[in-house]
């Protein structure tokens, strides 16, 4: 009874609704749509898009944050070429990328293949590999610093008991020759689990029949890995390489926690330089110019990815 | 039914052939997995172990994994030496607000981008996509100057505004909504539902997997964020756990046991969230490949 009543009421109400013209209805629909995007869009424009545009403008200004802003033209650009710290930072960022990307890639692929089959406790192992990625960087960097403490850390203790001469023990983060390696090792350790997950997803997409056919032909696991798994995963590998490259150009947190860019400038990277020029030297225009370099690199990598994925599709 | 199946299984089991010999390849596989797992896990175990030790025991070699007399006092002391409770409260407050705002505004905007038609829709969406590729480090400085202009320096508001409205969230939710058939919305409209009702009563319940993914990404990223709070927060009472931890490390740099205890405490919330929602996290990465 009551439900019939309400149905009727609804029908009556709808019939009584004033008829809107097409244009009116369309305008009303647009307003509704804008009301949906407004909360996010306003925040996004004010706190992301605005600052991005400001960063471009600031790159052509002189400013210390207090005195009046001055037009700088290309001064900041020319300063890049004379700034030895910038050159070191750019070089170190490239070195970091060139070593950390292939290492992480190989490790993530290897672990994903190991954990793809039927294995007891598979979920436990996957979780264990993944946990460093979600763990807070500050906490794990402290452990890392202690484990790799040159004087009394367990890592050097183990090397010592294995017969490495005390004078040859690496100084890790405190040693100009090993600082970058320490940071790279840490990065690989921390990110491996994340890329393993992407590879596991990629492995799920390889048709079983390929392996069955290879079995019939008498291929061994090594041959199957190189002839089927690796080529079939090529799109995943490409995708992973791009993300990793972009990520490693943005490396900062772990360097801040482990080496602070030192010793000397041996682990100074682009973002660290931006941070220093911004919040230590307060050379805001120049900091933005360095940020532009970072932006251009990331943009280039992204555009290359875009081109390639479009071609392969 | 199930009992008969069970008994059948138990009866049959002895007649099955004994377990095959373990192949050497299989053995090597497990050995490899165990070695890698050890590398990934041992730092955490070492951390846990050190958190229960006296400072002079921390670096004792060979490593004593289970301390003879676990020093639980470490976990009491850290709360008194630094305002750890305040740090945890601040971080939890910021993280919860950011996560809720992120979930609400992203799913709300994504609904319009996926299911409604309006002028400039594609242009606006392209604007979102384009900024995903811009590293935060490129605009962190102008953002900081702007917040300073707004008088938001040294407030939690600054961090909330900084992280609550991401292009990534809108993108993730939109991709998910695109997979929900339009007919569902059409039918609801014919039944007289408003767009807001459709979003609340149809889209949100259907998008639980995507919401969970976004929720974990945001939670973990905000809880662990370190550069943001470091730039904005200078007053001790406002600091987050990551900054507090760092402060603690530099202030008590040789109190290794205590530092490890504080680190363990800082990891617990993320560990809980991660373990309980892990499935969504893994699926989210596998399907989007992006991070927050």
């Amino acid at each position: 009874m009551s439900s019939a009543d309400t149905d009727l009421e609804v029908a009556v109400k709808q019939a009584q609704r004033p008829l809107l013209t097409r244009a009116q209805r369309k305008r009303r629909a647009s307003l509704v749509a804008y009301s949906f995007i407004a909360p996010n869009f306003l925040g996004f424009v004010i706190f992301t898009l605005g600052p991005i545009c400001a960063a471009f403008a600031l790159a052509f200004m002189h400013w210390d944050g207090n005195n009046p802003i001055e037009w700088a033209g290309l001064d900041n650009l020319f300063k890049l070429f004379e700034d030895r710290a910038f050159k070191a930072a750019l070089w170190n960022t490239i070195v970091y990328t060139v070593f950390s990307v292939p290492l992480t890639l190989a490790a993530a692929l290897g672990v994903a293949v190991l954990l793809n089959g039927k294995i007891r406790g598979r979920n436990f192992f996957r979780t264990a590999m993944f946990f460093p990625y979600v763990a807070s960087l500050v906490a794990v960097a402290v452990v890392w610093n202690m484990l790799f403490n040159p004087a009394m850390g367990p890592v050097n203790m183990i090397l010592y008991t294995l017969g490495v001469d005390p004078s040859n023990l690496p100084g890790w983060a405190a040693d100009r020759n090993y600082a970058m390696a320490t940071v790279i090792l840490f990065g690989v350790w921390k990110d491996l689990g994340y890329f393993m997950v992407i590879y596991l997803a990629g492995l799920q997409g390889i048709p079983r029949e390929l392996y069955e056919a290879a079995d019939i032909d008498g291929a061994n696991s090594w041959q199957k890995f190189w002839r089927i798994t690796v080529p079939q995963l090529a799109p995943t590998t490409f995708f992973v390489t791009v993300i990793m490259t972009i990520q490693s150009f943005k490396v900062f947190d772990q360097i801040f926690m482990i080496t602070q860019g030192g010793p000397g400038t041996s682990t100074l990277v682009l973002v660290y330089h931006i941070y220093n020029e911004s919040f230590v030297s307060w050379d805001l225009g120049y900091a933005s110019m360095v940020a532009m370099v970072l932006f251009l690199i990331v943009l280039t990598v992204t555009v290359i990815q875009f081109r390639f994925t479009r071609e392969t599709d | 039914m199930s009992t008969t199946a069970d008994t059948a299984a138990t009866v049959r089991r002895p007649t099955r052939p004994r377990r095959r010999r373990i192949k050497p390849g299989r053995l090597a596989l497990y050995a490899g997995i165990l070695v890698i797992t050890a590398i990934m896990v041992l730092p955490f175990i070492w951390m846990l172990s050190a958190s229960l030790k006296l400072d002079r025991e921390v670096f004792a070699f060979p490593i004593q994994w289970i301390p003879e007399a676990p020093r639980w006092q470490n976990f009491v002391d850290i709360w008194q030496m630094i305002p750890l409770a305040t740090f945890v409260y601040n971080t939890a407050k910021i993280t919860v607000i950011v996560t809720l705002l992120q979930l609400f505004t992203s799913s709300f905007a994504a609904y319009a981008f996926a299911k409604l038609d309006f002028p400039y829709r594609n242009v606006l969406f392209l604007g979102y996509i384009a900024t995903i590729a811009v590293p935060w480090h490129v605009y962190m400085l102008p953002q900081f100057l702007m917040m300073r202009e707004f008088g938001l320096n040294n407030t939690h508001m600054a961090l909330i505004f900084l992280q609550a409205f991401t292009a990534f969230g809108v993108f993730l939710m939109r991709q998910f909504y695109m997979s929900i058939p339009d007919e569902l919305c059409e039918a609801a409209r014919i039944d007289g539902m408003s767009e807001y009702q459709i979003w609340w009563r149809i889209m949100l319940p259907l998008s639980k997997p995507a919401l969970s993914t976004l929720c974990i990404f945001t939670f973990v990223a905000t809880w662990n964020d370190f550069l943001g709070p470091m730039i904005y927060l200078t007053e001790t009472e406002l600091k987050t756990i990551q900054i507090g931890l760092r402060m603690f490390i530099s202030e008590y740099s040789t109190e290794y046991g205590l530092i490890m205890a504080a680190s363990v405490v800082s990891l617990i919330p993320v560990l809980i969230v991660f373990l309980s929602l892990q499935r969504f996290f893994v699926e989210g990465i596998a399907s989007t490949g992006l991070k927050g």
Side-chain angles (χ1 to χ4, degrees), chain A residues 51-301:
Chain A
I52 289 176
C53 299
F56 281 100
L58 212 50
F60 302 96
M61 308 286 167
H62 283 305
W63 201 27
D64 63 359
N66 287 316
N67 294 310
I69 301 188
E70 276 172 47
W71 175 251
L74 296 177
D75 284 5
N76 292 324
L77 183 67
F78 296 137
K79 191 176 169 188
L80 282 179
F81 298 105
E82 283 150 26
D83 181 3
R84 292 176 70 182
F86 167 74
K87 281 179 205 162
L90 184 61
W91 172 248
N92 289 336
T93 312
I94 293 169
V95 169
Y96 181 86
T97 306
V98 165
F99 284 95
S100 74
V101 171
L103 271 174
T104 315
L105 194 92
L109 175 61
V111 173
V113 169
L114 287 183
L115 290 181
N116 191 42
K118 284 204 184 72
I119 282 158
R120 276 160 190 271
R122 191 170 69 166
N123 283 338
F124 166 77
F125 290 122
R126 286 183 182 180
T127 310
M129 306 281 173
F130 194 69
F131 190 62
Y133 179 74
V134 280
S136 107
L137 193 119
V138 181
V140 288
V142 185
V143 186
W144 198 264
N145 270 337
M146 289 166 85
L147 290 173
F148 283 80
N149 183 310
M152 42 190 182
V155 173
N156 269 3
M157 284 298 172
I158 290 166
L159 289 178
Y160 177 70
T161 47
L162 288 176
V164 177
D165 191 76
S167 59
N168 286 335
L169 283 175
W172 300 113
D175 185 333
R176 193 177 273 277
N177 300 315
Y178 286 91
M180 187 51 97
T182 310
V183 176
I184 290 171
L185 275 179
F186 180 76
V188 174
W189 176 79
K190 193 149 180 10
D191 290 341
L192 190 156
Y194 178 80
F195 294 106
M196 170 199 78
V197 171
I198 300 184
Y199 264 128
L200 280 172
L203 285 169
Q204 301 297 315
I206 303 179
R208 297 256 100 235
E209 296 83 45
L210 290 176
Y211 292 104
E212 282 159 17
D215 280 334
I216 293 168
D217 292 342
N220 62 32
S221 344
W222 196 242
Q223 287 167 324
K224 278 188 280 187
F225 175 74
W226 283 109
R227 300 281 171 83
I228 301 174
T229 312
V230 171
Q232 286 284 316
L233 282 178
T236 312
T237 302
F238 178 70
F239 176 71
V240 166
T241 310
V242 172
I243 297 187
M244 269 185 209
T245 308
I246 293 177
Q247 252 191 35
S248 45
F249 271 104
K250 296 191 283 193
V251 64
F252 172 78
D253 292 12
Q254 65 214 53
I255 288 178
F256 190 87
M257 284 304 300
I258 294 178
T259 62
Q260 313 237 303
T265 53
S266 57
T267 54
L268 186 75
V269 288
L270 278 178
V271 175
Y272 210 105
H273 197 46
I274 298 174
Y275 174 83
N276 275 340
E277 292 297 326
S278 306
F279 299 106
V280 182
S281 313
W282 293 97
D283 192 347
L284 306 184
Y286 182 60
S288 296
M289 187 51 86
V290 181
M292 286 305 112
V293 176
L294 174 69
F295 172 68
L296 281 179
I297 294 171
V298 171
L299 185 72
T300 311
V301 177

Side-chain angles (χ1 to χ4, degrees), chain B residues 7-205:
Chain B
T7 35
T10 29
V11 167
R12 214 182 300 133
R13 192 168 292 150
T15 63
R16 262 191 203 157
R18 293 296 306 165
R19 264 191 104 64
R20 292 150 284 141
R21 277 185 310 123
I22 303 167
K23 287 190 218 142
R26 202 88 190 131
L27 208 64
L29 176 72
Y30 276 102
I33 291 173
L34 285 174
V35 168
I36 299 168
T37 311
I39 294 172
M40 302 309 277
V41 172
L42 281 182
F44 293 105
I45 298 182
W46 192 80
M47 173 193 245
L48 197 63
S49 158
S51 73
L52 295 171
K53 287 176 181 169
L54 283 169
D55 301 322
R56 59 183 157 76
E57 296 167 336
V58 167
F59 287 115
F61 198 82
I63 302 165
Q64 196 183 8
W65 291 101
I66 300 169
E68 244 165 54
R71 203 183 134 74
W72 300 103
Q73 187 64 30
N74 284 351
F75 281 90
V76 178
D77 289 348
I78 47 171
W79 298 89
Q80 282 142 15
M81 294 176 77
I82 46 167
L84 196 58
T86 312
F87 296 154
V88 172
Y89 170 77
N90 289 340
T91 322
K93 177 186 142 193
I94 295 171
T95 306
V96 169
I97 295 177
V98 166
T99 308
L100 288 178
L101 270 176
Q102 171 86 270
L103 289 178
F104 166 69
T105 67
S106 297
S107 64
F108 207 51
Y111 176 67
F113 281 121
K115 298 291 177 209
L116 300 176
D117 196 24
F118 56 91
Y120 306 113
R121 181 179 76 171
N122 295 338
V123 179
L124 293 180
F125 191 66
L126 202 71
Y128 271 101
I129 301 283
T131 58
I132 290 184
V134 183
W136 176 59
H137 310 104
V138 169
Y139 58 93
M140 67 180 178
L141 173 63
Q143 200 175 41
F144 172 81
L145 298 170
M146 189 181 74
M147 299 276 197
R148 194 179 69 172
E149 213 52 40
F150 291 171
L152 291 175
N153 250 0
N154 226 342
T155 65
H156 290 159
M157 279 304 246
L159 292 169
I160 292 167
F161 285 140
L162 177 92
Q163 304 187 72
F165 313 100
T166 62
F168 168 74
V170 178
F171 180 72
L172 183 91
M173 293 309 297
R174 177 193 175 260
Q175 294 311 96
F176 190 83
Y177 286 161
M178 295 297 272
S179 67
I180 297 176
D182 287 346
E183 286 78 18
L184 221 53
C185 305
E186 288 301 331
R189 272 174 211 136
I190 291 167
D191 286 348
M193 266 198 198
S194 74
E195 298 297 338
Y196 306 102
Q197 282 172 320
I198 298 175
W199 169 75
W200 174 250
R201 290 171 56 183
I202 297 178
M203 297 311 254
L204 277 192

